[in-house]
Amino acid sequence: MSVIGSTPKPRGRRLAALAAVGAVTALAASACATTAPGSASGSGGKIFVVAAENFWGSIAAQLGGTKVVETSIISNPQTDPHSYEPTAADARTIAGARLFIQNGIGYDTSWAPGLVAANPSSSRTVLTVGNVLGLADGDNPHQWYSHASVYAVIDAITADYQKIDPAEASYFAQRKAVFEDSTLAEYNKLETEIRDEYAGTPIGASESIVSPLATTLGLDMLTPYSFLKDISEGTDPTTADKALIDQQIRNKQIKVYVYNSQNSTPDIQAQVALARQQGIPVTTVTETLSPAGDSFQQWMVGELQGLQTALAEGTGH
């Protein structure tokens, strides 16, 4: 009898998203009454940057250096961006942004675009990651786990800074070069090491957040994408998918199991327990910066180190 027989409890993402849509207009209207839309700068003439999520916010802050002031709407590791319900304070914050960065791709689209639209401003630049990458709702939104996507967003943020403040274009170009070559050096090194040593290694995962990382590292994701997407979106996975994953773990077809520790449903808990029972190393990733005070690169390096250790244990080399 399969131990992966429990039914996951949806995290209420879709219902909460629908509720948030209705709340957005009223919240944003409130912001209109109290905040001058599209404030051109933060304190001291700096560009005021607002990011919907702190992983993009961390990158934006580092690329902007002393020329920007950055704040992120979602910074609590326990907050689920899929079903986030915005506040009036969020509406006011976005209304004052000179640059607003949203993920898109169905991730924060239930609330972020509505707040932007309710406070239109010709002086505000909106960067939507999905648009930068040519992705839309239904595609995998977790692109901060893709090396290529991260570098594309770095390019886009830098370009927007240079358009907003052309006089500092060379400063932003220099910040970009340092960030890519030095700041992200350990991140890049670990990705290369893992790809060179473990490309083709079969792994299992709890949800689609792991898929861009597996692609970047050349790992062979055996978990059906239908299951990964269902768990990510808070919907019921099929019995067939659960049975297949059960078989993969019991037969030790995977060398490592990776799960999002911020979304541990009963099914995922059962898979983790079975993997450990079978001697398969388990490692974790998270949805947002964890701890919240980490930089993007600190967060990623910690997770890559954990994955590298698990792969070494699981493969014996």
Side-chain angles (χ1 to χ4, degrees):
M1 180 176 177
S2 170
V3 301
I4 308 180
S6 59
T7 301
K9 298 176 182 178
R11 288 186 284 176
R13 287 177 168 173
R14 293 178 177 176
L15 290 176
L18 290 172
V21 169
V24 159
T25 302
L27 290 169
S30 172
C32 281
T34 59
T35 306
S39 175
S41 63
S43 60
K46 298 180 180 182
I47 300 170
F48 182 40
V49 183
V50 179
E53 298 87 15
N54 64 356
F55 38 82
W56 297 129
S58 174
I59 292 174
Q62 293 178 80
L63 290 172
T66 61
K67 306 301 180 183
V68 311
V69 174
E70 186 276 332
T71 189
S72 296
I73 301 296
I74 297 178
S75 58
N76 184 338
Q78 302 308 312
T79 300
D80 181 359
H82 291 269
S83 59
Y84 182 70
E85 296 188 39
T87 67
D90 296 335
R92 289 191 293 271
T93 299
I94 292 172
R98 186 65 182 85
L99 172 63
F100 178 60
I101 303 170
Q102 58 189 359
N103 192 77
I105 327 176
Y107 194 66
D108 48 21
T109 49
S110 67
W111 59 273
L115 293 183
V116 172
N119 281 285
S121 171
S122 60
S123 65
R124 183 191 306 120
T125 298
V126 177
L127 189 160
T128 302
V129 170
N131 293 346
V132 170
L133 303 177
L135 301 176
D137 289 6
D139 293 323
N140 193 319
H142 309 101
Q143 293 301 309
W144 56 97
Y145 276 105
S146 162
H147 178 96
S149 295
V150 166
Y151 271 72
V153 173
I154 289 170
D155 288 344
I157 292 173
T158 301
D160 280 343
Y161 283 160
Q162 292 172 326
K163 290 176 183 177
I164 293 168
D165 192 353
E168 298 294 347
S170 61
Y171 172 84
F172 294 124
Q174 182 182 32
R175 294 291 302 183
K176 175 179 179 291
V178 170
F179 186 70
E180 291 178 333
D181 297 338
S182 300
T183 307
L184 294 182
E186 184 66 12
Y187 162 78
N188 291 327
K189 175 175 173 287
L190 282 166
E191 286 190 335
T192 299
E193 288 177 354
I194 293 171
R195 186 168 52 250
D196 288 349
E197 181 71 20
Y198 301 108
T201 300
I203 69 167
S206 67
E207 64 167 280
S208 64
I209 193 172
V210 185
S211 298
L213 180 62
T215 299
T216 291
L217 302 176
L219 302 175
D220 184 11
M221 176 68 76
L222 294 193
T223 307
Y225 189 73
S226 52
F227 177 90
L228 299 175
K229 188 174 182 181
D230 283 342
I231 294 296
S232 179
E233 294 179 351
T235 58
D236 239 354
T238 67
T239 300
D241 278 350
K242 290 189 286 185
L244 176 59
I245 296 165
D246 187 20
Q247 181 182 38
Q248 290 173 346
I249 295 174
R250 286 190 179 280
N251 294 341
K252 297 186 178 180
Q253 293 172 260
I254 62 172
K255 299 299 182 182
V256 170
Y257 184 89
V258 186
Y259 83 105
N260 177 2
S261 59
Q262 293 173 319
N263 182 23
S264 187
T265 69
D267 276 323
I268 301 308
Q269 292 169 15
Q271 290 176 11
V272 168
L274 182 59
R276 287 176 171 151
Q277 178 186 326
Q278 297 298 111
I280 297 171
V282 175
T283 190
T284 64
V285 295
T286 57
E287 195 100 4
T288 53
L289 301 184
S290 182
D294 269 5
S295 65
F296 172 83
Q297 61 272 15
Q298 288 172 325
W299 175 48
M300 284 291 162
V301 164
E303 294 190 334
L304 288 168
Q305 288 172 335
L307 178 57
Q308 187 177 46
T309 298
L311 285 166
E313 180 184 348
T315 61
H317 64 86

